[in-house]
Amino acid sequence: ASFEWIMQELFKSDRLLETNNFELLGKTGHGMAGAGTSYGFDALSNLGDRLVKAARARNVELLVRLKAEFDDYMARLVVKYM
């Protein structure tokens, strides 16, 4: 999965949570973990791993907290192109 696709899916994750789409949340988390590792975003990768586990457990409360962590991370992220 591309980094852009992962970001698009995560921005839609509120809808995924509302519809309890645990399968797509888990796939998105898996892709996020891989993309985070590939692009050097270790915190994003860790968040993706935790998202996968929460989706497998169908832990809505944790998924909501992880989405808030993601939103906070993205608000603070500064990407510099070289």
Side-chain angles (χ1 to χ4, degrees):
S2 73
F3 189 73
E4 291 81 14
W5 179 84
I6 299 303
M7 295 301 100
Q8 288 173 355
E9 290 304 309
L10 283 167
F11 284 119
K12 293 189 284 187
S13 62
D14 286 335
R15 184 174 46 84
L16 298 177
L17 282 168
E18 289 170 5
T19 60
N20 292 326
N21 194 335
F22 300 110
E23 182 179 348
L24 188 52
L25 283 164
K27 286 180 181 178
T28 301
H30 178 77
M32 183 170 69
T37 299
S38 296
Y39 292 98
F41 296 104
D42 294 334
L44 194 61
S45 183
N46 178 275
L47 192 57
D49 287 335
R50 293 166 50 213
L51 183 63
V52 169
K53 291 175 185 168
R56 283 187 186 145
R58 297 176 179 259
N59 186 336
V60 175
E61 183 179 316
L62 180 55
L63 288 165
V64 169
R65 285 199 316 262
L66 292 172
K67 172 63 166 93
E69 280 186 48
F70 168 76
D71 290 343
D72 181 62
Y73 178 81
M74 293 306 291
R76 293 180 290 114
L77 181 66
V78 176
V79 177
K80 295 181 180 179
Y81 295 95
M82 299 185 169

